[in-house]
Amino acid sequence: MDLRYTDAEEAFRAELRAWLAEVVPTLGPRPALTDWPARRAYDTSWQGMLYDAGYAGIDWPVEGGGRGASPVEQLVYLEELERAHAPYVGVNFVGLLHAGPTIAVEGTPEQRARFLPPILKGEQVWCQGFSEPDAGSDLAALRTRAVRDGDEYVVTGSKIWTSHAEVADLCELLVRTGEEGSRHSGITWLAMEMDRPGIEIRPLETIGRSTEFAELFLDGVRVPVGNRVGEENDGWRVTMVTLSFERGTAFVGELLQSMEELRRIRSLARRVGLWDDPEVRHRTGQLGAELDALWALTRRNVSQAARTGVPGLGGSVFKLAFSELRQRLATLGLELLGSAGLAWDELEATDGSGPIGNTRLLEQWIGSFSRTIAAGTSQIQRNIVAERILGLPKG
Amino acid sequence: MDFELSDDERSLADGMRRLCEGRFPMERVRAGEGRRALDTEGWSALAEAGVFSLRLADEEGGADLGTAAAAVVFEELGRALVPGPLAATHAAAGLVKGAATGDRPVGLLRRTPPVPGDPRPVLVGDLGSLGALLVVADDGVELVEPDAVGGAPVEGGLDPLTPLWRLEAVPRGTPVGDGPVAEALWRDFLVVEAAFLVGMAAVTSEMAVGYAKVRRQFDRPIGSFQAVKHMCADMLVRAETARAAVHAAAVTVDQPDVGDAVRAAHGAALLAAQAAEANARACIQVHGGMGFTWEVPAHLYLKRAIVLWRALGPATRLADVVAERF
């Protein structure tokens, strides 16, 4: 076991760190969370800068325009971005982490040439049309129907939890092309342009009063057959290929942010005179120990991916532990504020020492509830851990 | 950066597992229930295998291996639930003459600032077999000769594999190390004891999973019910996160430039103790009525977890060190 980085890894780090130190301070202020057009502009312009500097999609395969970076380089990359407080991947998430890698591996040369460069350059934004009102954890039950009509598919149905739908150019869409009840064997993967007639976007309001995701209603949307990635009815396998790109680095940024958040919470405890409270110290130390452990587990998962080339199942273990930890972390922060944590709008401290920090903590707290649901609920993660790692029988 | 076990570490673990399977199968370990003295034959076998000396330099009779190797070895010892003051003797190897060879088993006690009016006696394990007792405080380490301790045997200890002695207070001894020595000794002790606890947590997880696969109720294995299956998943999560923490702490002791080894050791000990206890509890629960019987060894893992945790100090103190140094 070795936690030191090689000279080559350190050289990569140094080069990236130098570049980030140069460009990050030149970035403008982040747009408001509710201003989606501004967020799109900000995130895509950052992606363009990454592209120009040779840092776009570094983990993508070379044939897809990436650098084919090793899992460890990817870890260093994410660590440095976080350290420099560089912008988050934002609206580029689906393109860079899902649709792009899928097309890079499963797409035709023509599809690769058409779809991949705009993702890497930040010119096109993708959203994801997987879940449906009746197909959440049980994704293979999806019913949005695509019927072949000449060289087009006619798509009718609805999708839900589609993030960034309003600002997306394209949607990675899973549709039912097989018979009803064909489950995994009757699904097809389509790239759907979001400006096609018949697409209605209805934003959903979250418990935090934000509109991070939307419902999509598809009424006879015509998608060219040339937009199909993989064979008809082979979309489930195509989708699973994307998951094989996961190298244990999916939560590196969030994990490092959480570590910083814990330090902020400690500062807050000192500021409000509660740092001598044994319970506050106990909870802080417990969270710190768990965060350190998850950082260790991240490096273990990345090392495993580096050795075997395939992602381990450690990702489920990590996701389960981390998402539940985040709720406890946010709860501690909010509790330290007492009644001052009940308001959304930022409150000024009574002693003139500035904002109390309530908006941020409330956002963190509310946001933490989505972590145990999105990308596989904790219950599904426990099934995965129990069945695929421990070999317990399906219910 | 490669945080997987190296080939050498893997073969060390395999070798240790084989030694434990040969020397310390559960029937043999359980034959020592109620004992007052160490199984000297087993203890010598561990000493010969280098369990206590492996981190010492060649010229000191060691194998010149690091803390990571020690963690790998102690995980195996924990899996087998080997009794005796293993972690303390290992941690004391460079400090107490005779510890590395196993000739002087060493006990370890932590001295904390006295709480006025606290009437609790101090119970220590294996005192009758110790060649030295180390008392660790923030400002230094003292060595107490066992004859000078004067403990009284306590019959009927919680863990049938850990004989107890009663002390009226933590004794005074001869200084053998200053603050930094105390810090390093305690840090190393935490890491190897945490590795032992992780081994225990892994075994109880495997026992529960194994039982959930074969025990049938309602015409199906109980492991197919989510209520049981999710308990098993949580056991694995606890064992694996604690294991990663312990390994990181061990590597950080060996490679101090990668992090704060003291913080890592305290955090790892905290999570490992929690995992060992919680997994043993869950193991009892998954075994149902059988889990409450003396026959099924789940209770031995629970009891040992508690015994070892008491020596590490309360969760609040372990967490406090992490909180300050995070």
Side-chain angles (χ1 to χ4, degrees):
Chain A
M1 293 180 276
D2 193 349
L3 287 174
R4 290 170 303 201
Y5 292 89
T6 63
D7 290 345
E9 287 157 0
E10 288 294 1
F12 174 73
R13 183 193 297 281
E15 171 209 314
L16 176 59
R17 188 177 288 187
W19 179 73
L20 288 166
E22 200 179 300
V23 298
V24 172
T26 68
L27 300 172
R30 311 261 169 117
L33 287 175
T34 48
D35 187 349
W36 280 102
R39 279 176 72 177
R40 179 194 155 114
Y42 189 87
D43 294 348
T44 52
S45 125
W46 169 243
Q47 183 59 32
M49 292 167 77
L50 286 170
Y51 179 82
D52 291 338
Y55 291 119
I58 63 151
D59 55 324
W60 282 24
V62 176
E63 60 270 32
R67 275 166 78 145
S70 71
V72 177
E73 282 172 333
Q74 172 73 354
L75 179 73
V76 169
Y77 174 82
L78 293 167
E79 213 185 328
E80 287 304 314
L81 256 63
E82 195 48 50
R83 187 181 173 277
H85 300 289
Y88 180 58
V89 62
V91 302
N92 304 302
F93 181 88
V94 175
L96 281 170
L97 277 78
H98 270 264
T102 303
I103 295 166
V105 173
E106 293 293 323
T108 62
E110 187 276 330
Q111 286 171 333
R112 289 210 289 262
R114 177 172 151 214
F115 292 122
L116 298 184
I119 294 174
L120 292 173
K121 291 175 187 168
E123 291 166 358
Q124 282 184 344
V125 169
W126 285 65
C127 63
Q128 188 180 68
F130 283 12
S131 298
E132 296 181 4
D134 288 326
S137 293
D138 183 12
L139 183 59
L142 64 90
R143 290 193 309 201
T144 290
R145 167 64 64 187
V147 179
R148 182 81 178 253
D149 180 21
D151 54 6
E152 287 180 324
Y153 286 104
V154 183
V155 183
T156 301
S158 60
K159 293 288 174 182
I160 198 166
W161 318 131
T162 304
S163 304
H164 324 132
E166 289 159 282
V167 294
D169 305 292
L170 285 138
C171 177
E172 55 164 348
L173 191 68
L174 291 184
V175 293
R176 173 76 46 205
T177 39
E179 293 164 22
E180 203 175 311
S182 56
R183 294 191 55 87
H184 308 82
S185 60
I187 292 170
T188 298
W189 199 105
L190 297 177
M192 177 179 76
E193 289 86 352
M194 290 296 285
D195 56 0
R196 293 190 176 272
I199 302 175
E200 189 197 337
I201 300 169
R202 211 177 288 168
L204 286 160
E205 191 176 16
T206 69
I207 59 172
R209 309 222 77 152
S210 63
T211 50
E212 276 163 50
F213 38 62
E215 264 185 292
L216 293 185
F217 295 93
L218 309 174
D219 183 12
V221 182
R222 302 188 84 86
V223 180
V225 171
N227 281 21
R228 185 189 71 211
V229 172
E231 295 302 312
E232 190 170 289
N233 293 332
D234 198 25
W236 186 265
R237 189 194 59 77
V238 169
T239 303
M240 292 302 127
V241 165
T242 315
L243 300 182
S244 73
F245 273 88
E246 165 51 19
R247 296 279 187 259
T249 56
F251 297 97
V252 168
E254 280 186 57
L255 176 60
L256 296 173
Q257 277 168 28
S258 295
M259 290 175 136
E260 217 176 301
E261 191 62 41
L262 185 64
R263 291 187 193 101
R264 261 197 293 267
I265 284 171
R266 180 174 58 190
S267 304
L268 176 65
R270 290 193 174 116
R271 186 180 175 197
V272 302
L274 284 171
W275 188 234
D276 289 332
D277 182 308
E279 193 202 335
V280 170
R281 294 172 71 95
H282 187 179
R283 286 165 72 185
T284 304
Q286 176 78 38
L287 288 162
E290 291 178 36
L291 287 165
D292 279 344
L294 290 175
W295 182 230
L297 190 61
T298 297
R299 287 175 291 176
R300 166 133 306 154
N301 290 342
V302 166
S303 299
Q304 202 178 329
R307 279 201 187 192
T308 62
V310 290
L313 288 160
S316 285
V317 171
F318 181 93
K319 203 259 182 191
L320 195 47
F322 182 51
S323 56
E324 298 190 348
L325 177 151
R326 282 190 53 127
Q327 292 181 356
R328 284 183 286 129
L329 176 69
T331 300
L332 173 60
L334 198 60
E335 283 180 20
L336 287 173
L337 287 177
S339 67
L342 299 177
W344 278 110
D345 290 341
E346 193 63 40
L347 302 173
E348 288 294 318
T350 55
D351 60 0
S353 60
I356 208 88
N358 52 301
T359 303
R360 176 196 172 77
L361 280 168
L362 206 47
E363 274 167 4
Q364 295 265 332
W365 182 73
I366 284 281
S368 74
F369 290 95
S370 73
R371 309 296 170 173
T372 49
I373 300 168
T377 65
S378 290
Q379 287 63 42
I380 291 292
Q381 298 295 346
R382 284 188 170 86
N383 285 351
I384 292 173
V385 169
E387 290 164 14
R388 298 196 206 153
I389 303 180
L390 298 176
L392 287 167
K394 283 182 182 284
Chain B
M1 199 278 292
D2 182 5
F3 193 44
E4 286 276 80
L5 268 66
S6 67
D7 291 345
D8 285 350
E9 286 160 347
R10 257 181 226 290
S11 50
L12 190 60
D14 290 346
M16 204 60 215
R17 185 166 301 188
R18 277 197 303 279
L19 187 146
C20 287
E21 281 165 358
R23 279 278 174 184
F24 302 99
M26 189 46 80
E27 339 53 283
R28 167 116 188 238
V29 169
R30 294 199 68 165
E33 285 177 19
R35 73 181 170 91
R36 296 298 304 175
L38 270 180
D39 159 18
T40 46
E41 209 181 305
W43 183 265
S44 304
L46 294 175
E48 272 164 43
V51 164
F52 308 119
S53 62
L54 67 87
R55 289 197 300 155
L56 297 185
D58 289 335
E59 57 272 23
E60 294 171 79
D64 217 0
L65 293 172
T67 313
V72 164
V73 165
F74 269 77
E75 219 172 298
E76 294 301 327
L77 296 168
R79 291 181 61 92
L81 204 64
V82 177
L86 299 162
T89 305
H90 171 95
L95 197 62
V96 176
K97 217 171 156 52
T101 53
D103 296 331
R104 281 174 96 188
V106 178
L108 205 57
L109 272 183
R110 179 97 206 169
R111 188 196 308 285
T112 48
V115 178
D118 177 2
R120 294 174 299 173
V122 178
L123 299 192
V124 248
D126 283 302
L127 189 64
S129 303
L130 296 185
L133 179 66
L134 290 180
V135 176
V136 186
D138 287 343
D139 56 356
V141 187
E142 293 172 10
L143 189 147
V144 192
E145 297 295 339
D147 296 347
V149 176
V154 175
E155 294 301 328
L158 169 69
D159 174 14
L161 296 166
T162 308
L164 296 175
W165 277 261
R166 172 191 169 116
L167 309 181
E168 300 313 308
V170 175
R172 284 279 168 197
T174 323
V176 291
D178 56 7
V181 169
E183 185 180 79
L185 175 70
W186 186 249
R187 175 198 69 197
D188 296 354
F189 169 68
L190 288 181
V191 172
V192 287
E193 196 74 293
F196 191 94
L197 286 158
V198 160
M200 290 170 59
V203 164
T204 46
S205 167
E206 291 161 20
M207 281 167 59
V209 169
Y211 188 73
K213 284 178 184 172
V214 296
R215 168 69 176 168
R216 296 178 71 88
Q217 288 289 277
F218 305 101
D219 285 331
R220 71 200 79 169
I222 60 168
S224 66
F225 296 113
Q226 289 188 336
V228 175
K229 168 183 288 187
H230 287 189
M231 283 178 76
C232 294
D234 286 338
M235 292 172 86
L236 182 81
V237 170
R238 280 191 291 265
E240 285 302 307
T241 47
R243 189 163 185 261
V246 169
H247 288 174
V251 174
T252 308
V253 172
D254 295 337
Q255 304 176 347
D257 48 322
V258 302
D260 176 353
V262 170
R263 159 176 145 194
H266 283 79
L270 177 62
L271 297 191
Q274 287 170 336
E277 183 188 336
N279 282 10
R281 283 173 185 273
C283 184
I284 290 173
Q285 183 67 21
V286 169
H287 278 78
M290 286 308 294
F292 196 63
T293 64
W294 191 265
E295 179 191 338
V296 171
H299 68 105
L300 296 176
Y301 283 87
L302 176 64
K303 291 166 179 173
R304 184 73 64 82
I306 299 294
V307 166
L308 297 182
W309 195 343
R310 292 302 171 267
L312 302 177
T316 44
R317 197 169 71 221
L318 295 168
D320 210 65
V321 173
V322 180
E324 280 294 345
R325 302 175 79 114
F326 195 79

